[in-house]
Amino acid sequence: HAAQPLGAMLRNAEAAELYLASESPDLAELRAIVSDIKSDDQRARDVIERMRGFLRRHELVRVPIDPAELVEGVLGLVRPDARRRDVRVDLAVDRDLPPVAGDPVHLQQVLLNLSVNALDAMEAVPAETRVLEVRLRAADGGGLEISVRDSGPGIPAPAMPRLFEPFFTTKAQGMGMGLAICRTLVEAHGGSLRAANGDGRGAVFVVHLPEAEAKG
């Protein structure tokens, strides 16, 4: 049973079309396919409702954020998992970062998701080459940039345009909602989230947050 319900529904619908094209369609098989489509539809609805519930439960707040503190807090959660997976964690923080405001809970969720994805992406590469690089810097043109880079095989070219679509995933057991939600949360802050393949190896995800407006 596929982890991605929309993909499973499409495959089942295609199978049903093949049965219907035959001289005498196997009705028992078609009934089983329809039943599968209904259960996958329900799973998709359940996932969307859970995500809506998560977003509803925690209204977006905007408070001044120390970005280095935010990232250090996330890496504190990630480091034990990284050690277990033989991943070295490198953090680089530039001086004179611009002031940013946002929701610490939501931004922590985004960075945690991106970091765990990075760890997952390095499972198939030799242990001595596994590095999670996180960098904070002032963005060209204003605002703050937080980049999360792995040393895995990179993002396959066909997957790149669909990476942030709900229910799209390159993971065998993934549901494909993580990156879609990350982008939604970052955009709710007036920022952006983009992905690229790193120079030579790995993938990099870049969160851009606008500079906090000065009060007064």
Side-chain angles (χ1 to χ4, degrees), residues 4-65:
Q4 305 92 295
L6 296 194
M9 282 191 272
L10 178 61
R11 281 190 295 278
N12 271 320
E14 287 167 347
E17 280 181 336
L18 289 174
Y19 278 110
L20 289 168
S22 70
E23 288 284 319
S24 50
D26 184 332
L27 295 181
E29 198 59 49
L30 282 168
R31 272 193 287 273
I33 288 173
V34 169
S35 173
D36 270 357
I37 290 173
K38 284 165 73 177
S39 73
D40 279 315
D41 175 81
Q42 189 57 54
R43 284 201 307 141
R45 284 186 212 205
D46 289 347
V47 171
I48 291 166
E49 275 313 306
R50 277 202 303 277
M51 297 312 167
R52 280 186 181 148
F54 165 74
L55 295 171
R56 268 199 306 267
R57 271 197 308 280
H58 192 88
E59 293 293 320
L60 191 74
V61 297
R62 283 185 190 277
V63 296
I65 287 173

Side-chain angles (χ1 to χ4, degrees), residues 35-112:
S35 173
D36 270 357
I37 290 173
K38 284 165 73 177
S39 73
D40 279 315
D41 175 81
Q42 189 57 54
R43 284 201 307 141
R45 284 186 212 205
D46 289 347
V47 171
I48 291 166
E49 275 313 306
R50 277 202 303 277
M51 297 312 167
R52 280 186 181 148
F54 165 74
L55 295 171
R56 268 199 306 267
R57 271 197 308 280
H58 192 88
E59 293 293 320
L60 191 74
V61 297
R62 283 185 190 277
V63 296
I65 287 173
D66 177 337
E69 200 175 282
L70 176 79
V71 169
E72 204 33 273
V74 170
L75 292 183
L77 298 172
V78 169
R79 277 193 181 98
D81 194 13
R83 272 195 297 273
R84 274 196 304 276
R85 304 192 201 202
D86 293 317
V87 176
R88 192 175 89 243
V89 178
D90 281 352
L91 172 62
V93 181
D94 287 7
R95 278 202 285 259
D96 301 322
L97 295 174
V100 290
D103 188 311
V105 172
H106 279 161
L107 292 176
Q108 186 179 57
Q109 187 72 37
V110 168
L111 296 174
L112 191 56

